[in-house]
Amino acid sequence: WWLDRYPKKASILRLAGEGDWYDQFRAVTLLRISPFPYIIYNYCAVATDVKYVPYLFGTLVGILPEIFIAIYTGIMIRTLADASKDQRSLAPLQIVFT
């Protein structure tokens, strides 16, 4: 029902199911990087016959930027929390590196 309701987004997902292994891998990777909801894409990947191996590797590569951003954000928050707990200011060099 979702594919019929949103034809423009559905056309992108249908393209993910076409082509060879590399085309499917590239489509899955690009969709994982985009802010497209994972749960809807998982449903549509099955509906569009994306093969398992390109889906798996495309997912792994596509979620790496999100993982790095989450780790980096956690490091920044911890650095700021430690600085505020000790009631000290950060050195300019620390700010640049953080």
Side-chain angles (χ1 to χ4, degrees):
W1 64 271
W2 189 88
L3 295 175
D4 296 330
R5 194 168 171 189
Y6 301 100
K8 288 183 181 181
K9 292 181 182 180
S11 65
I12 295 170
L13 293 171
R14 285 192 184 99
L15 287 174
E18 296 176 1
D20 60 359
W21 187 93
Y22 179 71
D23 292 332
Q24 289 182 358
F25 165 77
R26 189 173 51 178
V28 169
T29 303
L30 291 174
L31 286 169
R32 287 293 188 203
I33 291 172
S34 73
F36 200 71
Y38 283 0
I39 197 163
I40 294 172
Y41 178 70
N42 291 338
Y43 165 76
C44 294
V46 172
T48 57
D49 293 328
V50 173
K51 304 294 184 236
Y52 181 72
V53 174
Y55 173 79
L56 179 67
F57 286 119
T59 297
L60 291 175
V61 171
I63 64 173
L64 283 177
E66 186 177 341
I67 290 170
F68 286 124
I69 289 171
I71 291 170
Y72 179 70
T73 303
I75 290 170
M76 282 182 28
I77 290 171
R78 178 160 184 165
T79 302
L80 293 173
D82 289 343
S84 67
K85 183 179 88 173
D86 298 338
Q87 293 185 353
R88 62 179 170 84
S89 62
L90 296 174
L93 193 57
Q94 275 183 306
I95 294 171
V96 168
F97 283 125
T98 301

